[in-house]
Amino acid sequence: MGPHPAVAAIRLAVRRVLHDVLRDALVLHDGRTPPPDTPLDLPRATAREGGADGPLVLVACSGGADSMALASALAFEARKLSVRAGAVTVDHGLQPGSDQRAAEVAARLTALGLDPVEAITVKVGREGGPEAAARDARYAALDAAAERHGAAAVLLGHTRDDQAETVLLGLARGSGTRSLSGMAAVSGAHGRYRRPFLQLDRHTARKACLVQSLPVWDDPHNADPAYTRSRLRHEGLPALEKALGKGVVEALARTAELSRDDADALDAWAAEADPSVRDEAGELLCGKLYALPAAVRRRVLRKALIRAGSPAGSLFARHVEEVDRLITGWRGQRAINLPGRVEARRQGGRLVIRQS
């Protein structure tokens, strides 16, 4: 008799991602992409990611149901492949006893057979609000851990439900197509972050923990109405499903996939157009920018603002729209001040972007 359907589903999702990681490692080792049917068994003495024992894959685990299910599936699947499996748990220090809980989670991960296992304490700042600041601190810690251990990938336990929430949050901010595309299955520098569960719902992950008798910790912040995502999870999405019927989460996740395809195509178009709208000195020419389709032009502007020092996480659609009006609705406006002390002004038919 095989495993419970929920356990089988999470293991299959992780197995697919590990195959991708192994294929990437083979490309690094051999310098060529292997055919799809190539047996994914690394030779001894591979590339830098794993050495003689294969690439190292870490799982980011908070101790919640999603990440514990992910950790258990990684531990099981890694034993059958040329992959080393470890884990990182991050203590944000935002709740009493968080250090003890992090130590308990680390002990559970070690008991699953993961190695190395590391508990990292971070200091959460205030920029962008509590949720964004905690996320920034967490990813900084995960990046550092991946570099320290030479990990080929870090697995994250985001589910289809998380994806739906992310799309709705993007809608609420009035963001563009890129924000509506939600979380990518692969992201970060060199494809470091992998999200195996984006096609699985939260219930499947929790059920997998239950049938495997895996203890889980439910973060009280996830039920705290002070947090926007928590309100959306416990009030917003249930209200939408009541009004529109079941299937809202699946539809939103599907919207994310379609939006990502569109956003990728427009980003590629903007990257190709960027050199053609600049003069010999690299300054943006307003006339040539005006001739671009709005979606492409705004992507060129956003990239230019980020390159000038405006933080991507603080640069919203309304900021880019204001800069865009210097191109499409020029009436002699003053310079526009943007996040990161970046200033944009129109001068002599050129868009000048500088950091003060």
Side-chain angles (χ1 to χ4, degrees):
M1 183 177 178
H4 187 279
V7 176
I10 64 169
R11 288 177 178 175
L12 176 60
V14 169
R15 189 183 315 142
R16 287 171 173 162
V17 169
L18 294 184
H19 275 245
D20 291 340
V21 171
L22 281 167
R23 196 170 300 280
D24 291 346
L26 279 170
V27 170
L28 285 173
H29 178 254
D30 293 339
R32 58 185 176 83
T33 302
D37 57 350
T38 299
L40 294 178
D41 190 15
L42 286 175
R44 295 298 173 183
T46 59
R48 63 177 176 83
E49 279 79 358
D53 297 319
L56 171 66
V57 175
L58 298 174
V59 57
C61 184
S62 67
D66 301 341
S67 59
M68 281 302 298
L70 182 58
S72 71
L74 174 61
F76 180 84
E77 293 296 331
R79 286 193 291 267
K80 304 192 296 182
L81 298 167
S82 300
V83 174
R84 293 182 296 132
V88 176
T89 186
V90 178
D91 172 19
H92 298 85
L94 298 177
Q95 301 171 33
S98 63
D99 55 342
Q100 181 179 347
R101 277 189 293 274
E104 291 171 354
V105 171
R108 292 172 192 167
L109 295 169
T110 300
L112 288 173
L114 299 172
D115 180 41
V117 172
E118 189 174 2
I120 304 173
T121 301
V122 298
K123 184 176 182 180
V124 177
R126 297 184 178 181
E127 186 174 351
E131 292 169 278
R135 182 176 60 250
D136 289 346
R138 179 167 62 255
Y139 276 100
L142 293 175
D143 279 334
E147 292 292 336
R148 189 163 51 251
H149 294 291
V154 179
L155 306 189
L156 304 175
H158 298 120
T159 64
R160 187 169 61 195
D161 302 80
D162 296 308
Q163 185 75 296
E165 293 162 7
T166 301
V167 172
L168 285 175
L169 289 169
L171 280 170
R173 289 194 298 267
S175 301
T177 309
R178 176 56 67 190
S179 182
L180 297 185
S181 65
M183 296 173 286
V186 180
S187 65
H190 309 295
R192 168 174 289 161
Y193 292 107
R194 315 284 177 119
R195 297 176 174 87
F197 288 175
L198 286 183
Q199 301 299 324
L200 301 178
D201 60 27
R202 194 173 286 142
H203 173 75
T204 298
R206 185 169 287 275
K207 185 67 176 179
C209 289
L210 179 64
V211 299
Q212 294 178 102
S213 300
L214 290 173
V216 300
W217 172 66
D218 290 315
D219 187 346
H221 282 174
N222 291 336
D224 188 343
Y227 295 94
T228 305
R229 187 177 285 268
S230 174
R231 293 195 302 273
L232 179 59
R233 181 174 301 177
H234 297 287
E235 300 172 25
L237 267 173
L240 280 175
E241 291 203 328
K242 183 177 180 181
L244 302 176
K246 295 292 184 181
V248 170
V249 167
E250 292 86 345
L252 288 167
R254 197 158 52 247
T255 296
E257 288 186 43
L258 296 172
S259 297
R260 182 164 296 280
D261 290 342
D262 292 347
D264 288 345
L266 287 168
D267 284 349
W269 188 354
E272 185 177 337
D274 188 286
S276 70
V277 296
R278 295 178 181 273
D279 63 14
E280 297 81 359
E283 297 287 355
L284 290 165
L285 298 169
C286 295
K288 291 190 174 183
L289 281 167
Y290 185 84
L292 291 175
V296 178
R297 182 177 60 247
R298 288 174 180 171
R299 279 168 166 77
V300 171
L301 294 176
R302 178 177 171 81
K303 284 286 186 183
L305 296 171
I306 292 171
R307 279 197 297 265
S310 195
S314 303
L315 188 64
F316 301 136
R318 68 176 185 273
H319 296 129
V320 180
E321 288 167 5
E322 284 297 315
V323 177
D324 193 42
R325 274 191 277 273
L326 294 176
I327 309 298
T328 62
W330 174 242
R331 303 181 312 278
Q333 299 100 307
R334 294 181 178 179
I336 297 172
N337 294 315
L338 299 155
R341 297 183 293 106
V342 170
E343 179 185 272
R345 67 169 67 241
R346 180 165 174 155
Q347 184 177 333
R350 290 169 172 76
L351 184 68
V352 181
I353 302 173
R354 297 282 187 270
Q355 191 172 42
S356 60

